[in-house]
Amino acid sequence: MKSAAPLMLLALLPLGALAAPPQAEIERPAAAAQATGVVHTVRQIPEACTRIEGRFTGTAAQPYDMQLVRTSPQCQPRAVFLDASKVNPSEAAGWKLNEVVRIPSASCSGVQAVVQVWRKPAGQHVALDGQGQNRVYLEDAKAQAAAGRLAALQAYSTLVEIRGNPCS
């Protein structure tokens, strides 16, 4: 008869300990190392008309600073960007881990900023054209708006974490 000890150990583990971390939709290698004080692009999200910019600050209180920049005044967003502290993005809340961007520090090896980009689908199926693109035609959009059938927008949010030991 086999021992029941392994089964008992599994029963004692919290459910979260068995769950694997979410798999990102986009996989890329770590970005190039960035110098302290130099602003760099972390990621562009064209559907939200947003570019995420970051920089290592060199301060212990806030070692990495990130801001959202509108890409163009003429850009019409098809997605919104939401504050992570208000929406708490997670798979349990219907969000998908879109990408994990790792940005090493050039001045402090072993330290990196890890930016998680989360995406919350709008909930409707998006029809793609023959080129695999989601096209929005002005007359169709006007007709939908007049009929009160505007589609919900997908949302994006980011979480930032510093990993590694800070340099002195």
Side-chain angles (χ1 to χ4, degrees), residues 39-42 51-55 64-69:
V39 176
H40 53 271
T41 297
V42 175
R51 178 177 64 250
I52 305 168
E53 291 183 346
R55 71 179 177 89
Y64 192 77
D65 181 42
M66 198 173 67
Q67 62 183 1
L68 303 176
V69 178

Side-chain angles (χ1 to χ4, degrees), residues 68-146:
L68 303 176
V69 178
R70 186 160 172 91
T71 55
S72 167
Q74 292 82 21
C75 183
Q76 296 297 313
R78 298 180 312 250
V80 294
F81 218 97
L82 302 176
D83 184 357
S85 65
K86 295 179 181 172
V87 296
N88 297 319
S90 69
E91 284 189 325
W95 291 79
K96 295 183 181 285
L97 181 59
N98 185 249
E99 182 177 11
V100 177
V101 182
R102 292 172 181 79
I103 305 132
S105 171
S107 59
C108 186
S109 65
V111 170
Q112 66 178 347
V114 178
V115 179
Q116 292 181 356
V117 179
W118 289 84
R119 179 181 69 82
K120 187 166 190 175
Q124 79 273 1
H125 174 70
V126 177
L128 303 179
D129 67 6
Q131 296 177 335
Q133 299 294 318
N134 174 18
R135 309 270 185 207
V136 178
Y137 296 99
L138 182 60
E139 293 304 319
D140 294 344
K142 283 181 179 178
Q144 285 180 342

Side-chain angles (χ1 to χ4, degrees), residues 2-44:
K2 293 187 178 187
S3 172
L7 291 176
M8 287 205 262
L9 286 175
L10 282 175
L12 294 175
L13 288 174
L15 289 177
L18 295 176
Q23 182 71 26
E25 294 175 316
I26 300 171
E27 296 283 335
R28 294 180 220 227
Q34 299 294 321
T36 301
V38 176
V39 176
H40 53 271
T41 297
V42 175
R43 162 94 188 266
Q44 288 199 47

